[in-house]
Amino acid sequence: AAKREGRSIIKVFEPVMLYSRQLRSQMATELRGAISADELVLHYQPVVELATNRILGVEVLVRWQHPLRGLIPPDTFIPLAEEIGVIHDLDRWVMSASLRQLARWREDFDLDPDFQLRVNLSAVELKQLDLVDHIRTLLRELHLPARNLVVEITETAIVTRGEVEMYSLLSLQQLGVGIEIDDFGTGYSSISYLRELPVSMVKVDRSLLVGLNTRAGQLEFVAAILQLIRAAGLEAVFEGIETREQADQLRAMGCASGQGYYFSRPLPADETGTLLATTHYLRIGEGVEGAGST
Ligand code: C2E
Ligand code: MG
Ligand code: MG
Ligand code: MG
């Protein structure tokens, strides 16, 4: 019975279910303690060059290893963390823990000098005046070149173009950190607006790949978006590539890079290390999509 109960509890943790006030407040309390209790874990999803399957870098994706409820996905607790003010500590913890991990990998393995660690930053974090100093200090302490770091920011985070947000972006760019707009195509930013920002990459949201090979006009639509991004002088990355057909289509369009379950699921640190230790190229279908990963 306990097992059955456990299962049903996990099911409760869909983002929509957090409308329950009791559950929200209980999770909020637990989330406040999660960082100090060492319950957050980082998984890493390879980003590859589509033409060669070369590993260009990894995206850092946080999970909450809850002592009773198992591995909780970020879509469930990141919005809550933003709401209750925990996101600041959470994002700083992710930045510091993942940069430390990168420093170890760089010591242990023969990483590409342009290897990119891609870290997601909340809109809230971009408003912190000391964000750039924090990152600069970490990079210096860990002897990491700034070009090894890319921050991913959702377009909604900068659509208001606040003064502090612009200051953060410009200072990060000055520092040499890569800046990418995440989930492009789901918010309201126009491409002409993106041209005005200190941004070098655009990650196209995975929803645009749905029906790529089946829905009438979808292929042309995605190709047009790719052209627009290029014409704006930006680099396009596609997320959510799940099938070989999608990878082939994007490659044929001339898209340079992407990530998705087809290449690899997000992997725990040890499996990521194994991958980076053994190869610069991803071998598709040779066990990298481990069952235990998320
Ligand atoms: P995101 O930055 O857009 O990350 C991509 C999401 O797509 C990840 O979900 C990843 O596991 C998932 N994904 C990757 N490949 C595929 C695929 O082929 N098909 C499908 N259907 N999904 C795929 P995840 O890990 O659940 O993260 C969800 C979101 O949570 C992220 O979206 C990001 O916005 C946020 N997030 C994750 N880690 C952090 C963090 O450390 N800080 C902040 N502020 N947000 C984070
Ligand atoms: Mg991202
Ligand atoms: Mg994304
Ligand atoms: Mg997303």
Side-chain angles (χ1 to χ4, degrees):
K3 193 170 182 190
R4 230 179 62 215
E5 219 179 288
R7 286 244 171 96
S8 66
I9 287 172
I10 289 171
K11 273 211 178 124
V12 168
F13 285 95
E14 304 284 333
V16 289
M17 297 303 288
L18 283 181
Y19 286 117
S20 151
R21 262 180 55 208
Q22 263 185 312
L23 185 56
R24 281 187 83 85
S25 79
Q26 191 190 329
M27 276 199 52
T29 308
E30 292 171 353
L31 188 54
R32 284 200 178 90
I35 301 177
S36 47
D38 217 16
E39 289 171 6
L40 297 182
V41 287
L42 299 179
H43 284 191
Y44 302 85
Q45 185 176 39
V47 175
V48 305
E49 181 176 61
L50 296 182
T52 60
N53 291 344
R54 186 165 64 95
I55 300 169
L56 300 173
V58 291
E59 177 172 8
V60 182
L61 295 159
V62 68
R63 278 94 180 82
W64 180 8
Q65 184 68 62
H66 193 284
L68 301 172
R69 301 190 176 99
L71 207 60
I72 304 179
D75 281 340
T76 303
F77 63 88
I78 294 282
L80 183 63
E82 287 180 340
E83 198 178 306
I84 65 175
V86 168
I87 191 69
H88 176 64
D89 289 339
L90 189 151
D91 272 354
R92 298 237 164 161
W93 180 84
V94 170
M95 180 65 74
S96 133
S98 62
L99 284 175
R100 270 168 230 286
Q101 179 61 261
L102 175 65
R104 282 197 296 276
W105 284 335
R106 255 172 51 104
E107 246 171 57
D108 294 347
F109 315 132
D110 167 38
L111 285 193
D112 190 308
D114 291 321
F115 186 90
Q116 291 175 336
L117 185 85
R118 304 169 145 272
V119 181
N120 292 285
L121 276 188
S122 153
V124 182
E125 206 37 33
L126 214 56
K127 285 202 183 81
Q128 305 297 317
L129 267 173
D130 64 340
L131 169 73
V132 182
D133 255 339
H134 175 73
I135 292 177
R136 187 190 287 117
T137 306
L138 278 171
L139 290 172
R140 195 192 296 132
E141 278 174 10
L142 296 163
H143 308 291
L144 289 169
R147 68 167 185 282
N148 285 159
L149 177 65
V150 174
V151 295
E152 301 196 353
I153 298 150
T154 55
E155 51 178 331
T156 39
I158 44 166
V159 84
T160 52
R161 219 192 298 210
E163 210 175 12
V164 180
E165 287 90 325
M166 288 309 110
Y167 166 82
S168 295
L169 290 182
L170 285 165
S171 316
L172 283 173
Q173 188 189 47
Q174 190 72 29
L175 189 61
V177 170
I179 302 168
E180 181 193 73
I181 299 304
D182 204 351
D183 300 346
F184 182 73
T186 55
Y188 299 97
S189 57
S190 68
I191 200 83
S192 60
Y193 163 73
L194 287 187
R195 281 177 89 180
E196 321 272 291
L197 294 172
V199 159
S200 52
M201 283 164 274
V202 174
K203 195 183 278 181
V204 179
D205 193 71
R206 66 168 176 270
S207 59
L208 285 154
L209 293 189
V210 175
L212 188 66
N213 298 290
T214 50
R215 186 176 168 193
Q218 192 65 18
L219 200 59
E220 290 76 8
F221 186 64
V222 170
I225 288 171
L226 178 62
Q227 292 309 317
L228 268 174
I229 293 171
R230 286 240 192 91
L234 303 166
E235 203 180 301
V237 183
F238 277 77
E239 66 173 15
I241 303 173
E242 292 183 351
T243 65
R244 186 187 170 153
E245 290 70 38
Q246 288 173 338
D248 289 345
Q249 297 284 16
L250 291 171
R251 199 180 298 114
M253 280 177 206
C255 174
S257 60
Q259 72 193 93
Y261 297 163
Y262 171 65
F263 297 104
S264 169
R265 291 190 173 257
L267 305 168
D270 55 344
E271 284 180 51
T272 310
T274 308
L275 190 68
L276 297 176
T278 49
T279 180
H280 289 237
Y281 295 87
L282 207 58
R283 289 175 300 249
I284 311 295
E286 284 182 37
V288 282
E289 302 177 59
S293 42
T294 60

